[in-house]
Amino acid sequence: MAELTGARWRKSTRSGDNGGNCVEVADNLPGLVAVRDSKDPNGPALTFAPADWLRFVGAAKR
């Protein structure tokens, strides 16, 4: 996970106090967007090309 060094993780502003059942996103890294489970910050992360992430978020909003 060396490419995620320096990632600034954030939760959605829509995430409430739901017992930690959230995902976190880091979109400050050049050329990729990373997503992880907030309950397991040292666990695996999924990575996406920025354009793919934008398509996913757009589809989820629709």
Short mmCIF file of all heavy atoms in Angstrom, two decimals:
data_model
loop_
_atom_site.label_atom_id
_atom_site.label_comp_id
_atom_site.label_asym_id
_atom_site.label_seq_id
_atom_site.Cartn_x
_atom_site.Cartn_y
_atom_site.Cartn_z
N MET A 1 0.82 -1.19 0.00
CA MET A 1 0.00 0.00 0.00
C MET A 1 0.87 1.26 0.00
O MET A 1 0.43 2.31 0.42
CB MET A 1 -0.90 -0.03 1.23
CG MET A 1 -2.29 0.42 0.90
SD MET A 1 -3.39 0.66 2.29
CE MET A 1 -3.93 -0.97 2.64
N ALA A 2 2.07 1.13 -0.49
CA ALA A 2 2.99 2.26 -0.49
C ALA A 2 2.44 3.44 -1.27
O ALA A 2 2.69 4.58 -0.92
CB ALA A 2 4.33 1.82 -1.07
N GLU A 3 1.68 3.17 -2.34
CA GLU A 3 1.15 4.28 -3.14
C GLU A 3 0.11 5.09 -2.38
O GLU A 3 -0.27 6.16 -2.79
CB GLU A 3 0.56 3.79 -4.47
CG GLU A 3 -0.73 3.01 -4.34
CD GLU A 3 -0.56 1.51 -4.20
OE1 GLU A 3 0.56 1.01 -4.07
OE2 GLU A 3 -1.58 0.82 -4.24
N LEU A 4 -0.34 4.59 -1.22
CA LEU A 4 -1.33 5.32 -0.43
C LEU A 4 -0.70 6.15 0.69
O LEU A 4 -1.41 6.80 1.45
CB LEU A 4 -2.36 4.35 0.16
CG LEU A 4 -3.16 3.56 -0.88
CD1 LEU A 4 -4.18 2.67 -0.19
CD2 LEU A 4 -3.83 4.47 -1.88
N THR A 5 0.63 6.15 0.75
CA THR A 5 1.30 7.00 1.72
C THR A 5 0.94 8.45 1.45
O THR A 5 0.98 8.91 0.32
CB THR A 5 2.84 6.82 1.62
OG1 THR A 5 3.13 5.44 1.86
CG2 THR A 5 3.56 7.68 2.62
N GLY A 6 0.54 9.15 2.47
CA GLY A 6 0.13 10.54 2.31
C GLY A 6 -1.35 10.73 2.02
O GLY A 6 -1.81 11.85 1.84
N ALA A 7 -2.09 9.61 1.96
CA ALA A 7 -3.53 9.72 1.70
C ALA A 7 -4.21 10.47 2.85
O ALA A 7 -3.93 10.22 4.01
CB ALA A 7 -4.14 8.33 1.55
N ARG A 8 -5.10 11.38 2.49
CA ARG A 8 -5.93 12.09 3.48
C ARG A 8 -7.33 11.49 3.37
O ARG A 8 -8.05 11.77 2.41
CB ARG A 8 -5.93 13.59 3.21
CG ARG A 8 -4.61 14.24 3.56
CD ARG A 8 -4.69 15.77 3.55
NE ARG A 8 -5.22 16.33 2.32
CZ ARG A 8 -4.50 16.75 1.28
NH1 ARG A 8 -3.19 16.71 1.35
NH2 ARG A 8 -5.08 17.25 0.21
N TRP A 9 -7.67 10.69 4.34
CA TRP A 9 -8.94 9.97 4.33
C TRP A 9 -10.06 10.84 4.89
O TRP A 9 -9.86 11.57 5.83
CB TRP A 9 -8.82 8.69 5.15
CG TRP A 9 -7.82 7.74 4.57
CD1 TRP A 9 -6.52 7.59 4.95
CD2 TRP A 9 -8.04 6.82 3.51
NE1 TRP A 9 -5.91 6.64 4.18
CE2 TRP A 9 -6.82 6.14 3.30
CE3 TRP A 9 -9.14 6.49 2.73
CZ2 TRP A 9 -6.69 5.15 2.31
CZ3 TRP A 9 -9.00 5.51 1.76
CH2 TRP A 9 -7.79 4.85 1.56
N ARG A 10 -11.26 10.70 4.30
CA ARG A 10 -12.42 11.43 4.79
C ARG A 10 -13.66 10.57 4.63
O ARG A 10 -13.73 9.70 3.76
CB ARG A 10 -12.60 12.74 4.04
CG ARG A 10 -12.85 12.56 2.56
CD ARG A 10 -13.07 13.87 1.83
NE ARG A 10 -13.17 13.66 0.41
CZ ARG A 10 -14.24 13.23 -0.24
NH1 ARG A 10 -15.35 12.96 0.42
NH2 ARG A 10 -14.24 13.08 -1.55
N LYS A 11 -14.62 10.81 5.50
CA LYS A 11 -15.92 10.16 5.39
C LYS A 11 -16.90 11.14 4.76
O LYS A 11 -16.70 12.36 4.83
CB LYS A 11 -16.45 9.76 6.77
CG LYS A 11 -15.73 8.59 7.36
CD LYS A 11 -16.46 8.01 8.54
CE LYS A 11 -16.33 8.88 9.76
NZ LYS A 11 -16.91 8.28 10.95
N SER A 12 -17.93 10.63 4.20
CA SER A 12 -18.97 11.47 3.61
C SER A 12 -19.60 12.35 4.68
O SER A 12 -19.77 11.94 5.82
CB SER A 12 -20.05 10.60 2.98
OG SER A 12 -21.16 11.39 2.62
N THR A 13 -19.96 13.54 4.30
CA THR A 13 -20.68 14.41 5.23
C THR A 13 -22.05 13.84 5.54
O THR A 13 -22.67 14.22 6.52
CB THR A 13 -20.84 15.83 4.63
OG1 THR A 13 -21.49 15.72 3.36
CG2 THR A 13 -19.48 16.50 4.47
N ARG A 14 -22.52 12.91 4.73
CA ARG A 14 -23.81 12.25 4.97
C ARG A 14 -23.68 11.08 5.94
O ARG A 14 -24.68 10.49 6.32
CB ARG A 14 -24.42 11.78 3.67
CG ARG A 14 -24.78 12.94 2.77
CD ARG A 14 -25.36 12.45 1.48
NE ARG A 14 -25.61 13.56 0.60
CZ ARG A 14 -26.79 13.90 0.16
NH1 ARG A 14 -27.85 13.21 0.51
NH2 ARG A 14 -26.94 14.93 -0.64
N SER A 15 -22.46 10.72 6.30
CA SER A 15 -22.27 9.65 7.28
C SER A 15 -22.61 10.18 8.65
O SER A 15 -22.04 11.15 9.11
CB SER A 15 -20.81 9.16 7.28
OG SER A 15 -20.50 8.56 6.06
N GLY A 16 -23.52 9.54 9.29
CA GLY A 16 -23.92 9.95 10.64
C GLY A 16 -23.21 9.10 11.67
O GLY A 16 -22.19 8.45 11.39
N ASP A 17 -23.74 9.07 12.85
CA ASP A 17 -23.21 8.24 13.92
C ASP A 17 -23.87 6.87 13.81
O ASP A 17 -24.83 6.56 14.48
CB ASP A 17 -23.49 8.88 15.28
CG ASP A 17 -22.86 8.11 16.41
OD1 ASP A 17 -21.87 7.39 16.16
OD2 ASP A 17 -23.36 8.22 17.55
N ASN A 18 -23.35 6.06 12.89
CA ASN A 18 -23.96 4.77 12.64
C ASN A 18 -23.07 3.61 13.08
O ASN A 18 -23.06 2.56 12.45
CB ASN A 18 -24.34 4.64 11.17
CG ASN A 18 -23.14 4.81 10.25
OD1 ASN A 18 -22.01 4.89 10.72
ND2 ASN A 18 -23.37 4.88 8.97
N GLY A 19 -22.32 3.80 14.12
CA GLY A 19 -21.49 2.72 14.64
C GLY A 19 -20.26 2.42 13.83
O GLY A 19 -19.69 1.35 13.93
N GLY A 20 -19.84 3.34 13.00
CA GLY A 20 -18.62 3.13 12.23
C GLY A 20 -18.81 2.39 10.92
O GLY A 20 -17.84 2.01 10.29
N ASN A 21 -20.03 2.17 10.50
CA ASN A 21 -20.29 1.46 9.25
C ASN A 21 -20.23 2.43 8.09
O ASN A 21 -21.23 2.80 7.51
CB ASN A 21 -21.65 0.76 9.30
CG ASN A 21 -21.68 -0.33 10.32
OD1 ASN A 21 -20.70 -1.04 10.50
ND2 ASN A 21 -22.78 -0.46 11.02
N CYS A 22 -19.02 2.85 7.76
CA CYS A 22 -18.82 3.85 6.71
C CYS A 22 -17.65 3.44 5.84
O CYS A 22 -16.83 2.60 6.20
CB CYS A 22 -18.49 5.21 7.31
SG CYS A 22 -19.72 5.85 8.42
N VAL A 23 -17.57 4.07 4.70
CA VAL A 23 -16.36 3.98 3.89
C VAL A 23 -15.67 5.33 3.96
O VAL A 23 -16.30 6.36 4.20
CB VAL A 23 -16.64 3.59 2.43
CG1 VAL A 23 -17.22 2.20 2.35
CG2 VAL A 23 -17.53 4.58 1.75
N GLU A 24 -14.38 5.30 3.77
CA GLU A 24 -13.59 6.53 3.71
C GLU A 24 -12.96 6.60 2.32
O GLU A 24 -12.62 5.58 1.73
CB GLU A 24 -12.49 6.52 4.77
CG GLU A 24 -13.03 6.54 6.18
CD GLU A 24 -11.95 6.46 7.24
OE1 GLU A 24 -11.02 5.65 7.08
OE2 GLU A 24 -12.05 7.20 8.21
N VAL A 25 -12.79 7.82 1.85
CA VAL A 25 -12.23 8.06 0.52
C VAL A 25 -11.02 8.97 0.66
O VAL A 25 -11.03 9.92 1.43
CB VAL A 25 -13.29 8.72 -0.40
CG1 VAL A 25 -12.69 9.05 -1.75
CG2 VAL A 25 -14.51 7.84 -0.53
N ALA A 26 -9.99 8.66 -0.09
CA ALA A 26 -8.83 9.55 -0.21
C ALA A 26 -8.72 9.92 -1.68
O ALA A 26 -8.49 9.07 -2.54
CB ALA A 26 -7.55 8.85 0.25
N ASP A 27 -8.93 11.21 -1.98
CA ASP A 27 -8.87 11.66 -3.37
C ASP A 27 -7.81 12.73 -3.59
O ASP A 27 -7.86 13.47 -4.55
CB ASP A 27 -10.24 12.14 -3.85
CG ASP A 27 -10.83 13.24 -2.98
OD1 ASP A 27 -10.14 13.71 -2.05
OD2 ASP A 27 -11.98 13.62 -3.22
N ASN A 28 -6.84 12.75 -2.69
CA ASN A 28 -5.77 13.74 -2.79
C ASN A 28 -4.51 13.19 -3.46
O ASN A 28 -3.53 13.91 -3.58
CB ASN A 28 -5.40 14.28 -1.41
CG ASN A 28 -4.76 13.22 -0.53
OD1 ASN A 28 -5.37 12.18 -0.26
ND2 ASN A 28 -3.55 13.47 -0.08
N LEU A 29 -4.52 11.96 -3.88
CA LEU A 29 -3.32 11.33 -4.45
C LEU A 29 -3.33 11.46 -5.97
O LEU A 29 -4.38 11.33 -6.60
CB LEU A 29 -3.27 9.86 -4.04
CG LEU A 29 -3.24 9.63 -2.53
CD1 LEU A 29 -3.51 8.17 -2.21
CD2 LEU A 29 -1.92 10.08 -1.95
N PRO A 30 -2.17 11.70 -6.56
CA PRO A 30 -2.13 11.86 -8.02
C PRO A 30 -2.49 10.57 -8.75
O PRO A 30 -1.91 9.53 -8.48
CB PRO A 30 -0.69 12.28 -8.31
CG PRO A 30 0.08 12.06 -7.06
CD PRO A 30 -0.88 11.86 -5.94
N GLY A 31 -3.49 10.65 -9.61
CA GLY A 31 -3.82 9.54 -10.48
C GLY A 31 -4.64 8.42 -9.89
O GLY A 31 -4.86 7.42 -10.56
N LEU A 32 -5.10 8.56 -8.64
CA LEU A 32 -5.95 7.51 -8.10
C LEU A 32 -6.82 8.01 -6.97
O LEU A 32 -6.54 9.02 -6.34
CB LEU A 32 -5.14 6.29 -7.65
CG LEU A 32 -4.22 6.39 -6.44
CD1 LEU A 32 -4.96 5.97 -5.18
CD2 LEU A 32 -3.05 5.44 -6.63
N VAL A 33 -7.90 7.28 -6.77
CA VAL A 33 -8.81 7.52 -5.65
C VAL A 33 -8.87 6.20 -4.88
O VAL A 33 -9.03 5.14 -5.48
CB VAL A 33 -10.23 7.91 -6.14
CG1 VAL A 33 -11.19 8.04 -4.98
CG2 VAL A 33 -10.16 9.21 -6.93
N ALA A 34 -8.70 6.27 -3.58
CA ALA A 34 -8.70 5.06 -2.75
C ALA A 34 -9.93 5.06 -1.84
O ALA A 34 -10.38 6.11 -1.39
CB ALA A 34 -7.43 5.00 -1.91
N VAL A 35 -10.45 3.87 -1.59
CA VAL A 35 -11.63 3.69 -0.75
C VAL A 35 -11.32 2.57 0.24
O VAL A 35 -10.76 1.53 -0.14
CB VAL A 35 -12.86 3.30 -1.60
CG1 VAL A 35 -14.08 3.12 -0.74
CG2 VAL A 35 -13.11 4.33 -2.68
N ARG A 36 -11.69 2.78 1.52
CA ARG A 36 -11.44 1.76 2.53
C ARG A 36 -12.60 1.71 3.53
O ARG A 36 -13.41 2.63 3.62
CB ARG A 36 -10.14 2.00 3.27
CG ARG A 36 -10.18 3.21 4.19
CD ARG A 36 -8.86 3.40 4.91
NE ARG A 36 -8.95 4.55 5.82
CZ ARG A 36 -7.93 5.03 6.50
NH1 ARG A 36 -6.74 4.49 6.36
NH2 ARG A 36 -8.09 6.05 7.31
N ASP A 37 -12.65 0.64 4.29
CA ASP A 37 -13.63 0.46 5.35
C ASP A 37 -13.17 1.24 6.58
O ASP A 37 -12.06 1.03 7.07
CB ASP A 37 -13.73 -1.03 5.68
CG ASP A 37 -14.77 -1.37 6.72
OD1 ASP A 37 -15.25 -0.47 7.43
OD2 ASP A 37 -15.10 -2.56 6.83
N SER A 38 -14.01 2.12 7.09
CA SER A 38 -13.60 2.95 8.22
C SER A 38 -13.33 2.13 9.49
O SER A 38 -12.60 2.56 10.36
CB SER A 38 -14.66 4.02 8.51
OG SER A 38 -15.87 3.42 8.91
N LYS A 39 -13.92 0.92 9.58
CA LYS A 39 -13.70 0.08 10.76
C LYS A 39 -12.35 -0.62 10.70
O LYS A 39 -11.90 -1.16 11.71
CB LYS A 39 -14.80 -0.97 10.87
CG LYS A 39 -16.19 -0.39 11.14
CD LYS A 39 -17.24 -1.46 11.30
CE LYS A 39 -17.34 -2.46 10.19
NZ LYS A 39 -17.72 -2.00 8.87
N ASP A 40 -11.71 -0.66 9.55
CA ASP A 40 -10.44 -1.38 9.37
C ASP A 40 -9.46 -0.50 8.61
O ASP A 40 -9.10 -0.80 7.47
CB ASP A 40 -10.70 -2.69 8.63
CG ASP A 40 -9.50 -3.60 8.59
OD1 ASP A 40 -8.50 -3.33 9.29
OD2 ASP A 40 -9.55 -4.59 7.84
N PRO A 41 -9.00 0.60 9.22
CA PRO A 41 -8.15 1.54 8.49
C PRO A 41 -6.81 0.96 8.05
O PRO A 41 -6.18 1.50 7.15
CB PRO A 41 -7.97 2.70 9.47
CG PRO A 41 -8.28 2.14 10.80
CD PRO A 41 -9.27 1.03 10.58
N ASN A 42 -6.38 -0.11 8.66
CA ASN A 42 -5.12 -0.74 8.24
C ASN A 42 -5.35 -1.90 7.29
O ASN A 42 -4.40 -2.56 6.88
CB ASN A 42 -4.33 -1.20 9.46
CG ASN A 42 -3.90 -0.03 10.30
OD1 ASN A 42 -3.42 0.97 9.79
ND2 ASN A 42 -4.11 -0.13 11.61
N GLY A 43 -6.60 -2.15 6.95
CA GLY A 43 -6.94 -3.23 6.04
C GLY A 43 -6.77 -2.82 4.59
O GLY A 43 -6.19 -1.77 4.28
N PRO A 44 -7.31 -3.63 3.71
CA PRO A 44 -7.16 -3.35 2.27
C PRO A 44 -7.94 -2.12 1.84
O PRO A 44 -8.90 -1.72 2.50
CB PRO A 44 -7.72 -4.62 1.60
CG PRO A 44 -8.65 -5.18 2.62
CD PRO A 44 -8.09 -4.83 3.97
N ALA A 45 -7.51 -1.56 0.75
CA ALA A 45 -8.21 -0.43 0.13
C ALA A 45 -8.39 -0.73 -1.35
O ALA A 45 -7.54 -1.39 -1.97
CB ALA A 45 -7.40 0.85 0.30
N LEU A 46 -9.50 -0.30 -1.88
CA LEU A 46 -9.73 -0.38 -3.31
C LEU A 46 -9.22 0.90 -3.95
O LEU A 46 -9.37 1.98 -3.37
CB LEU A 46 -11.22 -0.53 -3.61
CG LEU A 46 -11.91 -1.75 -3.04
CD1 LEU A 46 -13.41 -1.66 -3.27
CD2 LEU A 46 -11.35 -3.02 -3.67
N THR A 47 -8.64 0.81 -5.13
CA THR A 47 -8.18 2.01 -5.82
C THR A 47 -8.84 2.09 -7.19
O THR A 47 -9.11 1.08 -7.83
CB THR A 47 -6.65 2.04 -5.97
OG1 THR A 47 -6.21 0.88 -6.67
CG2 THR A 47 -5.96 2.12 -4.62
N PHE A 48 -9.11 3.32 -7.59
CA PHE A 48 -9.78 3.60 -8.84
C PHE A 48 -9.06 4.72 -9.57
O PHE A 48 -8.50 5.62 -8.93
CB PHE A 48 -11.22 4.10 -8.58
CG PHE A 48 -12.08 3.11 -7.86
CD1 PHE A 48 -12.12 3.09 -6.47
CD2 PHE A 48 -12.85 2.20 -8.55
CE1 PHE A 48 -12.92 2.19 -5.79
CE2 PHE A 48 -13.66 1.29 -7.88
CZ PHE A 48 -13.69 1.29 -6.49
N ALA A 49 -9.14 4.70 -10.88
CA ALA A 49 -8.72 5.86 -11.65
C ALA A 49 -9.74 6.97 -11.35
O ALA A 49 -10.92 6.69 -11.16
CB ALA A 49 -8.71 5.54 -13.14
N PRO A 50 -9.31 8.22 -11.28
CA PRO A 50 -10.24 9.31 -10.96
C PRO A 50 -11.49 9.34 -11.85
O PRO A 50 -12.60 9.55 -11.36
CB PRO A 50 -9.40 10.57 -11.11
CG PRO A 50 -8.01 10.11 -10.80
CD PRO A 50 -7.94 8.72 -11.39
N ALA A 51 -11.34 9.11 -13.14
CA ALA A 51 -12.51 9.15 -14.04
C ALA A 51 -13.48 8.02 -13.72
O ALA A 51 -14.70 8.20 -13.76
CB ALA A 51 -12.05 9.05 -15.50
N ASP A 52 -12.96 6.84 -13.36
CA ASP A 52 -13.82 5.72 -13.00
C ASP A 52 -14.57 6.02 -11.71
O ASP A 52 -15.75 5.69 -11.57
CB ASP A 52 -13.01 4.44 -12.84
CG ASP A 52 -12.41 3.96 -14.15
OD1 ASP A 52 -12.96 4.31 -15.23
OD2 ASP A 52 -11.38 3.25 -14.10
N TRP A 53 -13.89 6.63 -10.75
CA TRP A 53 -14.54 6.99 -9.49
C TRP A 53 -15.67 8.00 -9.73
O TRP A 53 -16.75 7.86 -9.18
CB TRP A 53 -13.51 7.54 -8.50
CG TRP A 53 -14.12 7.96 -7.21
CD1 TRP A 53 -14.26 9.22 -6.74
CD2 TRP A 53 -14.70 7.10 -6.21
NE1 TRP A 53 -14.89 9.21 -5.52
CE2 TRP A 53 -15.18 7.92 -5.17
CE3 TRP A 53 -14.89 5.73 -6.12
CZ2 TRP A 53 -15.81 7.41 -4.04
CZ3 TRP A 53 -15.52 5.22 -4.99
CH2 TRP A 53 -15.96 6.06 -3.98
N LEU A 54 -15.42 8.99 -10.57
CA LEU A 54 -16.46 9.98 -10.86
C LEU A 54 -17.67 9.33 -11.53
O LEU A 54 -18.81 9.67 -11.22
CB LEU A 54 -15.90 11.10 -11.73
CG LEU A 54 -14.93 12.05 -11.04
CD1 LEU A 54 -14.33 13.03 -12.05
CD2 LEU A 54 -15.61 12.78 -9.90
N ARG A 55 -17.43 8.37 -12.42
CA ARG A 55 -18.55 7.66 -13.06
C ARG A 55 -19.33 6.86 -12.02
O ARG A 55 -20.56 6.84 -12.03
CB ARG A 55 -18.05 6.73 -14.17
CG ARG A 55 -17.83 7.44 -15.48
CD ARG A 55 -17.62 6.47 -16.63
NE ARG A 55 -16.37 5.73 -16.52
CZ ARG A 55 -15.19 6.19 -16.93
NH1 ARG A 55 -15.09 7.39 -17.46
NH2 ARG A 55 -14.12 5.46 -16.80
N PHE A 56 -18.63 6.20 -11.10
CA PHE A 56 -19.29 5.43 -10.05
C PHE A 56 -20.14 6.33 -9.16
O PHE A 56 -21.30 6.03 -8.91
CB PHE A 56 -18.26 4.69 -9.20
CG PHE A 56 -18.85 4.08 -7.96
CD1 PHE A 56 -19.58 2.90 -8.05
CD2 PHE A 56 -18.68 4.67 -6.73
CE1 PHE A 56 -20.15 2.34 -6.91
CE2 PHE A 56 -19.25 4.13 -5.59
CZ PHE A 56 -19.99 2.96 -5.68
N VAL A 57 -19.58 7.43 -8.71
CA VAL A 57 -20.31 8.34 -7.83
C VAL A 57 -21.52 8.92 -8.57
O VAL A 57 -22.62 9.02 -8.02
CB VAL A 57 -19.40 9.46 -7.29
CG1 VAL A 57 -20.18 10.55 -6.59
CG2 VAL A 57 -18.35 8.86 -6.35
N GLY A 58 -21.32 9.28 -9.83
CA GLY A 58 -22.45 9.80 -10.61
C GLY A 58 -23.57 8.78 -10.74
O GLY A 58 -24.75 9.12 -10.60
N ALA A 59 -23.21 7.52 -11.00
CA ALA A 59 -24.23 6.48 -11.12
C ALA A 59 -24.93 6.24 -9.78
O ALA A 59 -26.13 6.03 -9.74
CB ALA A 59 -23.59 5.18 -11.63
N ALA A 60 -24.17 6.28 -8.69
CA ALA A 60 -24.77 6.07 -7.36
C ALA A 60 -25.75 7.19 -7.02
O ALA A 60 -26.78 6.95 -6.41
CB ALA A 60 -23.67 5.97 -6.31
N LYS A 61 -25.44 8.40 -7.43
CA LYS A 61 -26.33 9.53 -7.16
C LYS A 61 -27.63 9.43 -7.95
O LYS A 61 -28.67 9.87 -7.48
CB LYS A 61 -25.64 10.85 -7.50
CG LYS A 61 -24.60 11.25 -6.49
CD LYS A 61 -23.95 12.57 -6.88
CE LYS A 61 -22.92 12.98 -5.87
NZ LYS A 61 -22.28 14.26 -6.24
N ARG A 62 -27.55 8.85 -9.15
CA ARG A 62 -28.75 8.71 -9.98
C ARG A 62 -29.61 7.61 -9.43
O ARG A 62 -30.77 7.55 -9.49
CB ARG A 62 -28.39 8.40 -11.41
CG ARG A 62 -27.82 9.60 -12.15
CD ARG A 62 -27.71 9.35 -13.64
NE ARG A 62 -26.78 8.31 -13.98
CZ ARG A 62 -25.46 8.47 -14.08
NH1 ARG A 62 -24.91 9.62 -13.83
NH2 ARG A 62 -24.69 7.48 -14.42
#
